[in-house]
Amino acid sequence: MKLGDEEDENLTRILSASNKSLMRICGGYDITQDEEFKELVFERARYVYNDALEYFQTNFLTQINDLRIAKALEEIQVEDGDTDAAV
């Protein structure tokens, strides 16, 4: 990706949209706290930037599903009151 000042607004928009899209798909991850989610956001943004978004979900399906499952298990543990268990 180009990092010139003229691209800042476009890259910010792409990253924001990628974050929102993946939060909707994977769950409420905090991009500042979860490195796997953060990496996935950057990868999706890279695909958008290179006009190849249609390949992203297929190429990263395993990572997307892993995050979805981890979030679902986390929510089940919270509902059961078992917040100390590791995921």
Side-chain angles (χ1 to χ4, degrees):
M1 289 187 184
K2 298 172 187 163
L3 298 177
D5 289 337
E6 66 279 353
E7 285 285 336
D8 286 352
E9 187 176 319
N10 186 41
L11 292 175
T12 299
R13 183 189 59 74
I14 290 171
L15 286 167
S16 177
S18 292
N19 186 47
K20 286 177 187 174
S21 176
L22 287 169
M23 283 183 62
R24 182 180 46 76
I25 295 168
C26 299
Y29 283 95
D30 182 353
I31 195 168
T32 64
Q33 300 295 319
D34 191 287
E35 292 298 318
E36 278 184 88
F37 182 74
K38 184 180 197 176
E39 182 179 344
L40 199 58
V41 169
F42 280 113
E43 290 295 344
R44 185 184 183 283
R46 183 173 61 87
Y47 274 69
V48 170
Y49 186 84
N50 289 302
D51 200 26
L53 183 57
E54 64 270 17
Y55 303 110
F56 172 76
Q57 194 146 353
T58 301
N59 291 344
F60 287 91
L61 188 58
T62 300
Q63 292 88 336
I64 291 168
N65 284 337
D66 287 350
L67 287 172
R68 290 174 75 173
I69 290 168
K71 185 56 74 176
L73 290 174
E74 180 182 302
E75 290 174 4
I76 290 169
Q77 289 174 347
V78 169
E79 286 177 11
D80 290 342
D82 189 13
T83 58
D84 294 331
V87 175

